[in-house]
Amino acid sequence: MTTSSLPSDATVGLAALVLIAEDEYEIAEILQAYLGRAGLRTIHAADGRRALDMHLSLKPDLVLLDVQMPKLDGWKVLSEIRHRGETPVIMLTAMDQDIDKLMGLRFGADDYVVKPFNPAEVVARTQAVLRRSRVASRSPVSVLRVPPFEIDLDQHEVSVEVDGAPHGLALTLTEFRLLTHLARAPRRVCTRAELLAACLPEGDSQERTVDSHISKLRKKLEGLGVEGMPAGIRGVGYRLWCVS
C-alpha cells in the first residue's frame, strides 16, 4: 500500500483519499502519480477482496474501481460498497459497450471511464465527483434543496415549487424516504434493491414493492403539475431527474 503526500494548503477535494482498485500495477502507478500531483492522497489494492478490506478499514473518499479484477470482480466489489454506504465510485472499464455502462448504473456507480484513458481526464472526473459528494454530504443538513423540492429532514416536510410558488406535499414515511434518497444524488440511478434497503428496511422484501411506492409518489407530484419524477430507468431502477 502506498500513499501520496498531502499538501499543507489543501483546498476542497485536495485532502481526499482515493482507493485505486486496479490489478495492472503500471496503470495504478500512473494514476497515483497524476492524482498525487493534483494533491490527492492515494492507496492501491491489486484485487477485489483487498479493495473491500481497505475500503472497510481506511474509509476512502472515493474508489477508482477496475471491472476486471482478480478474486472479486469490480461489479461484486461495487455491489458490496453500495450495501455499506454511499462512497463515490468511478468504474474503470476496457469495454466500451452499452451493457457495461448499464451494469455500472445498475449497481450505483457515480461515473465510468473507458480504457485506454487520459489520466488527466480521470483526475478531472475524480475531482468533480468528490466535489458533488462533499456538497451532498456537508453536515449538519436539515433542509435539502433540490429543484423543485425543498425537503425538511427534521420535520419530515416537503414543499414543491410550481410556477414560482411553494406547495406542500403530503407523503407517507416511505414516500418521504424514497424522495429524500433520490434527491441526495438526483442524477444517479438507484437500483430497486438499493432503494429497498435504504427506504424500506423493515418492510416487504420484494423489490417490486418499490415500484408501487414510486408510482404513488409520482401521482402525487403529477397532481401538482410535476411530470416525469422520479424518472424510471427500465430494468435498472429510478433517478429523480430525467437526464437526456
Side-chain angles (χ1 to χ4, degrees), residues 33-50:
Y34 272 78
L35 291 166
R37 288 185 203 131
L40 296 159
R41 296 177 296 143
T42 62
I43 49 179
H44 174 228
D47 64 72
R49 197 172 302 280
R50 178 63 175 154

Side-chain angles (χ1 to χ4, degrees), residues 148 159-168:
S159 66
V160 185
E161 184 174 328
V162 180
D163 296 328
H167 297 263

Side-chain angles (χ1 to χ4, degrees), residues 59-206:
K59 296 179 173 54
D61 297 288
L62 181 141
V63 180
L64 290 174
L65 179 59
D66 185 29
V67 171
Q68 303 294 333
M69 293 278 287
K71 297 189 179 179
L72 288 175
D73 67 30
W75 304 131
K76 292 178 182 177
V77 174
L78 176 59
S79 180
E80 177 59 29
I81 288 175
R82 279 292 160 264
H83 279 299
R84 293 177 180 178
E86 295 295 322
T87 305
V89 176
I90 298 176
M91 303 301 294
L92 306 177
T93 172
M95 298 173 289
D96 187 12
Q97 299 176 352
D98 288 342
I99 186 64
D100 201 49
K101 300 170 187 175
L102 179 62
M103 286 292 285
L105 294 174
R106 184 182 297 276
F107 288 111
D110 294 86
D111 202 351
Y112 63 87
V113 179
V114 178
K115 297 179 181 179
F117 49 70
N118 182 338
E121 179 188 355
V122 178
V123 172
R125 293 197 182 202
T126 297
Q127 291 173 324
V129 171
L130 282 169
R131 195 175 300 115
R132 292 198 302 267
S133 173
R134 290 190 170 186
V135 169
S137 62
R138 197 174 288 155
S139 59
V141 175
S142 59
V143 178
L144 185 61
R145 294 181 177 89
V146 179
F149 304 101
E150 182 173 295
I151 304 171
D152 190 318
L153 303 177
D154 292 335
Q155 300 298 321
H156 278 65
E157 294 177 349
V158 178
S159 66
V160 185
E161 184 174 328
V162 180
D163 296 328
H167 297 263
L169 182 65
L171 300 177
T172 66
L173 177 58
T174 297
E175 291 164 356
F176 180 86
R177 288 174 175 173
L178 287 167
L179 179 61
T180 300
H181 190 84
L182 292 168
R184 290 186 186 280
R187 289 185 176 86
R188 185 172 74 81
V189 178
C190 298
T191 66
R192 291 180 177 85
E194 176 187 342
L195 292 170
L196 187 68
C199 305
L200 293 88
E202 71 288 341
D204 196 322
S205 62
Q206 297 298 315

